[in-house]
Amino acid sequence: MAIELISRVTTSAVSSVSFTNLSQTGTDLIVHISARSTTNQTVSDLQVKANNTSSNIYFYRGFYATGTGTVTGSFGNNYATEIGIPINGAYSDGNVFSTSILEIFDYSLGAPQSSYTLLSATENGSVANFNMMRTTGYFDLTVAITQLDFYTNFAAGSTISIYKRTAGN
């Protein structure tokens, strides 16, 4: 098994980042996100779409925890028009960037329902304001994923890196 960087973007203050013509020689995609939004909120939303598709093809369920406690709640069992990832907004303390890892399995097969898993963490200056979210789901697509689009009001310095994982010895 090998992991190879496909592309990395460090943003200026933009509202979207697109990765097109994704290599189809891998089995899985691993997306590392270090992002902050300029939206006037403590926690904002980063939206991810595959193949520029805005229909209800993203099925998800997950759980989250806030502060120093254990699991605070769960959500999902729904279809949505995108994958939502919480990130630090403009009202977060300091210049803290959120960290997320999105893994998309079998993205190049064109098989229905390529699954994904997401781990995201936001922090607002103290442990009491720490948030963690774990989501799993699938893309209800019948074609390979060739494009990923990310939407939010990105703060300058946000970075998205996409890696492909290939099977092997």
Side-chain angles (χ1 to χ4, degrees):
M1 180 179 309
I3 296 175
E4 177 185 337
L5 178 66
I6 295 176
S7 186
R8 174 177 290 137
V9 171
T10 300
T11 70
S12 56
V14 297
S15 61
S16 66
V17 174
S18 293
F19 295 89
T20 59
N21 300 317
L22 292 172
S23 168
Q24 297 297 297
T25 60
T27 54
D28 308 321
L29 292 176
I30 303 167
V31 184
H32 287 216
I33 303 165
S34 174
R36 183 177 172 85
S37 172
T38 60
T39 303
N40 290 331
Q41 299 172 320
T42 303
V43 177
S44 188
D45 190 37
L46 170 62
Q47 299 175 350
V48 183
K49 297 183 181 186
N51 295 348
N52 200 24
T53 303
S54 295
S55 56
N56 288 333
I57 65 162
Y58 308 95
F59 183 83
Y60 66 93
R61 59 175 48 161
F63 59 90
Y64 60 94
T66 59
T68 58
T70 57
V71 173
T72 307
S74 61
F75 55 89
N77 205 26
N78 298 307
Y79 279 95
T81 57
E82 77 276 330
I83 298 172
I85 303 174
I87 62 172
N88 284 2
Y91 290 164
S92 298
D93 290 344
N95 197 22
V96 179
F97 285 67
S98 300
T99 301
S100 303
I101 299 172
L102 170 65
E103 290 187 74
I104 302 170
F105 305 100
D106 298 325
Y107 78 99
S108 61
L109 295 180
Q113 304 177 341
S114 294
S115 60
Y116 70 87
T117 184
L118 167 68
L119 178 61
S120 181
T122 61
E123 187 266 322
N124 188 23
S126 71
V127 172
N129 294 317
F130 174 79
N131 297 292
M132 185 281 307
M133 182 179 81
R134 181 69 163 183
T135 307
T136 189
Y138 60 84
F139 298 88
D140 201 358
L141 288 170
T142 57
V143 296
I145 296 172
T146 59
Q147 177 175 333
L148 287 175
D149 302 299
F150 299 82
Y151 301 94
T152 194
N153 293 319
F154 286 100
S158 296
T159 301
I160 302 173
S161 303
I162 298 185
Y163 300 84
K164 69 178 178 180
R165 181 170 33 221
T166 55
N169 298 331

